[in-house]
Amino acid sequence: MWNPLSWVMEAAAVMAIVLANGGGEGLDWQDFVGIICLLIINSTISFIEENNAGNAAAALMARLAPKTKVLRDGQWQETDAAILVPGDIISIKLGDIIPADARLLEGDPLKIDQASALLDSDKSQLNN
């Protein structure tokens, strides 16, 4: 409930109680309760939407977590890139995302788009 719309509704609820006592009549509880109910409904819907958006973002990040083929114990295995250590030998092919700083041991020169790492569209030609 920390946004301008909620603040206006909270101010309206307070004004419904404070200003409605003019003319010798009782407090205007109906308007106050109605505004508070709307605030609670609005907060509940906002909470559910933010929770669903957070879950969707987490699922997307888990699905897009980089995997790599690494040579360990004489066998090629597909593992999470987060558990790579210095000295691991990885296999890359056309279109792969290079999961870590790597040194080219063999193969043709690489052309790598470093835009995601450098925050610009510089494409560099790397050689052995």
Side-chain angles (χ1 to χ4, degrees):
M1 296 206 290
W2 190 254
N3 59 49
L5 178 62
S6 294
W7 298 335
V8 169
M9 290 179 71
E10 290 163 3
V14 169
M15 288 174 43
I17 289 295
V18 172
L19 298 178
N21 202 11
E25 297 178 14
L27 297 177
D28 191 5
W29 289 105
Q30 294 84 8
D31 288 344
F32 175 77
V33 171
I35 292 170
I36 295 300
C37 288
L38 288 174
L39 268 171
I40 292 171
I41 291 169
N42 185 27
S43 298
T44 303
I45 290 172
S46 295
F47 175 77
I48 292 170
E49 286 180 352
E50 286 182 22
N51 191 29
N52 289 343
N55 291 343
L60 182 60
M61 292 301 289
R63 189 171 180 205
L64 294 177
K67 302 263 186 195
T68 188
K69 287 183 83 173
V70 63
L71 183 62
R72 290 206 176 140
D73 299 326
Q75 297 180 7
W76 288 102
Q77 308 169 18
E78 186 168 322
T79 61
D80 290 332
I83 62 170
L84 287 176
V85 296
D88 277 343
I89 297 176
I90 60 172
S91 172
I92 57 174
K93 63 183 184 310
L94 183 64
D96 279 353
I97 296 173
I98 299 174
D101 290 343
R103 183 175 20 179
L104 186 61
L105 298 177
E106 63 181 49
D108 295 330
L110 298 174
K111 189 169 190 175
I112 299 174
D113 181 6
Q114 297 179 352
S116 62
L118 301 175
L119 300 176
D120 65 11
S121 60
D122 179 35
K123 291 188 178 182
S124 301
Q125 180 79 17
L126 299 180
N127 295 317
N128 307 15

